[in-house]
Amino acid sequence: MQPVESEAFEVMQQFFDYDQTVPLEADVIGRLEKPGYIRERISFRGALGSKVPGYLALPTNKMGPYPVVLLLHGVTSSKESWWEENSTMRKLTIQLLESGYAALSLDTEYHGERSSNNELDSPIALLENERFVQYRDMIMRSTIDYRRGMDYLTTRTEIDTTRIGMIGYSMGGMMTFMLSAVDSRIKTSVACVSPIVTVPYLPTGVHHHAPYIHEVPFLMLMGKNDGQNYTEAQARQLHDLIGSDTKELIFFDSGHMLPAEWTDRAVYWIGKHLN
């Protein structure tokens, strides 16, 4: 894994630029009230002008404005994964809300409510069919969508946008590296079982972004036996590349599905570095 030089990275950053003058045209489509939190179903204009659906959850056990954590799902998953009953993803979301954090989760391109935009059965088929440019564009546009999502959060008086954290799982972990390197609004990050993908036409490789993550406390949660996505040695090398002085790598004796205690580690890291 050889990261790009700084001049090349400056060019690469332009892939994640967007027109900030385009109106968000944000809507709150629905509202669900539960003990301890309120969850709104929202939408706004994303990278390509299409509507991006998401959930914004607000705790009710504390007074705002609330620090907020962006939740980035994996490939073939969706924003719903952070709310599925009896899942570690939902456990994490509830832990964050109980700790006084708001949570924003979006459907990335070709996922969830946006699945109809992809003529293939599954986004993973983009890699399997060597459609690398489309795979690259999916990740980059979705990363921009989260930048637009942070723009939306600035319109919400309940949110303290000086305290934005991020937790990404699998493909979401890849995007966590990218956002941490290109957007200074991110104050702390947790990347879980992030694949180390090195394919043609992919300036979204996490090893390219890692050295340019500065002043962002960064935690990697990885499985020792996730051989399909990375080796233990590759994970250690990637961790060494991260430019932040505050970083940590934790291995679990697992594959791509981490054991339940990963959520405790993630929430602890967020609490330590976002308060």
Side-chain angles (χ1 to χ4, degrees):
M1 291 185 293
Q2 294 298 322
V4 297
E5 299 294 334
S6 58
E7 295 82 0
F9 184 75
E10 289 179 7
V11 174
M12 187 184 301
Q13 280 185 292
Q14 298 177 30
F15 283 92
F16 301 91
D17 288 342
Y18 63 102
D19 186 352
Q20 298 182 33
T21 67
V22 174
L24 287 167
E25 298 180 14
D27 295 300
V28 176
I29 304 166
R31 181 182 174 93
L32 177 69
E33 295 189 22
K34 291 284 188 177
Y37 67 88
I38 296 170
R39 190 185 74 184
E40 295 180 350
R41 184 166 172 254
I42 64 164
S43 70
F44 56 85
R45 292 287 173 197
L48 293 181
S50 61
K51 282 282 188 155
V52 178
Y55 287 130
L56 176 62
L58 304 168
T60 56
N61 61 347
K62 294 184 179 181
M63 296 291 293
Y66 309 105
V68 62
V69 179
L70 313 180
L71 301 177
L72 289 69
H73 65 75
V75 70
T76 74
S77 190
S78 72
K79 67 181 182 304
E80 308 296 337
S81 65
W82 301 103
W83 295 96
E84 292 172 352
E85 290 292 339
N86 302 316
S87 69
T88 59
M89 304 293 192
R90 178 182 173 84
K91 175 190 172 189
L92 173 82
T93 306
I94 298 302
Q95 284 177 298
L96 289 171
L97 291 166
E98 290 177 345
S99 299
Y101 300 99
L104 176 70
S105 54
L106 308 176
D107 280 334
T108 58
E109 189 170 8
Y110 305 150
H111 292 75
E113 295 181 58
R114 307 171 75 184
S115 297
S116 60
N117 297 337
N118 180 21
E119 69 272 20
L120 298 175
D121 292 335
S122 168
I124 200 69
L126 296 176
L127 281 179
E128 294 171 347
N129 292 286
E130 298 186 354
R131 298 173 67 167
F132 300 130
V133 172
Q134 191 175 356
Y135 182 84
R136 174 204 68 188
D137 290 348
M138 174 187 72
I139 292 179
M140 289 192 303
R141 291 167 184 165
S142 297
T143 302
I144 294 172
D145 287 340
Y146 267 96
R147 300 192 74 184
R148 295 276 289 176
M150 286 188 279
D151 293 344
Y152 167 70
L153 291 174
T154 65
T155 71
R156 299 293 301 255
T157 58
E158 311 98 315
I159 301 298
D160 180 357
T161 51
T162 67
R163 293 188 290 166
I164 301 178
M166 176 170 44
I167 301 173
Y169 201 99
S170 192
M171 178 184 73
M174 295 175 64
M175 293 166 59
T176 297
F177 274 87
M178 297 164 207
L179 271 171
S180 299
V182 304
D183 200 309
S184 61
R185 291 175 290 185
I186 301 297
K187 302 307 180 186
T188 189
S189 300
V190 181
C192 308
V193 291
S194 175
I196 301 174
V197 180
T198 54
V199 297
Y201 314 112
L202 195 65
T204 48
V206 292
H207 59 291
H208 294 318
H209 291 80
Y212 302 99
I213 298 173
H214 301 296
E215 301 178 4
V216 179
F218 201 98
L219 172 64
M220 290 175 58
L221 299 178
M222 308 294 269
K224 286 185 177 180
N225 307 309
D226 194 0
Q228 184 177 357
N229 295 288
Y230 54 84
T231 65
E232 183 175 343
Q234 286 176 321
R236 294 187 185 279
Q237 184 181 358
L238 178 61
H239 175 260
D240 291 341
L241 289 174
I242 296 172
S244 175
D245 291 333
T246 305
K247 60 184 179 180
E248 187 173 353
L249 169 61
I250 297 175
F251 280 107
F252 294 91
D253 190 15
S254 72
H256 201 61
M257 301 301 295
L258 295 177
E261 57 264 31
W262 77 266
T263 67
D264 299 327
R265 296 280 194 165
V267 173
Y268 176 79
W269 185 268
I270 293 292
K272 182 177 180 180
H273 298 287
L274 201 58
N275 287 333

